[in-house]
Amino acid sequence: MSEILVANNNSPKFREQVKELVGKPFSIWQRLRMKGNGSGRLEVAEYSFKLANCFGENSGRKQAIIELRPKGIIIYIRNHINDYVWCIPYRNLCIFQSNLYSIHSNGNYVKIDLNKSLKLTKSFFKKMYQEKTKFIENQSVIQ
């Protein structure tokens, strides 16, 4: 199950919840081998009703950052009051591409604008697909 958590305090309980959902962060060596595990700022074109609180109504530009983890992704969302993280395990992650990249999980979605920094966005999403495929292949071998 994906979860949207308030990330204002970095308590041990919060870190444990995130670790349980999407795994520990990659080590520095793994991140260097991957040539980074974060997306940079992405322009959000559209989002689901449940994520409206996270983005806020009057915040103008909507941006998010995606971090890859061994068992899923984290989407970081900031507004004027709170910081939010949306933890999505790979088994619940669906990605669609048209003129926007659309990330879906359990009825929530975020649509990323491709026109902003297209080359960086495409290479990051390719890396995300690879990590998801690697995770699913490893899960099928274990079971």
Side-chain angles (χ1 to χ4, degrees), residues 11-33:
S11 69
K13 182 181 175 185
F14 169 77
R15 287 193 305 265
E16 192 58 39
Q17 279 182 295
V18 171
K19 196 185 321 178
E20 187 179 307
L21 287 166
V22 292
K24 289 193 240 184
F26 287 109
S27 72
I28 187 75
W29 298 113
Q30 290 171 311
R31 285 183 273 173
L32 287 171
R33 236 180 290 133

Side-chain angles (χ1 to χ4, degrees), residues 49-85:
F49 180 73
K50 289 182 181 178
L51 291 173
N53 289 349
C54 301
F55 284 104
E57 291 302 315
N58 301 322
S59 63
R61 288 175 64 181
K62 313 280 192 237
Q63 295 182 333
I65 297 172
I66 302 174
E67 177 188 349
L68 301 177
R69 292 280 183 107
K71 297 181 350 187
I73 65 170
I74 301 174
I75 300 178
Y76 294 94
I77 303 165
R78 297 186 100 170
N79 72 21
H80 300 301
I81 300 167
N82 290 316
D83 295 337
Y84 295 92
V85 295

Side-chain angles (χ1 to χ4, degrees), residues 26 29-31 33-37 68-72 90-91 93 125-142:
F26 287 109
W29 298 113
Q30 290 171 311
R31 285 183 273 173
R33 236 180 290 133
M34 294 169 69
K35 297 181 181 168
N37 69 326
L68 301 177
R69 292 280 183 107
K71 297 181 350 187
Y90 286 129
R91 66 180 179 277
L93 177 65
F125 275 85
K126 182 179 177 183
K127 199 182 307 181
M128 189 187 322
Y129 282 124
Q130 291 169 344
E131 287 299 314
K132 179 180 179 179
T133 304
K134 191 186 323 176
F135 174 79
I136 291 171
E137 286 173 354
N138 287 341
Q139 289 298 103
S140 62
V141 169
I142 291 171

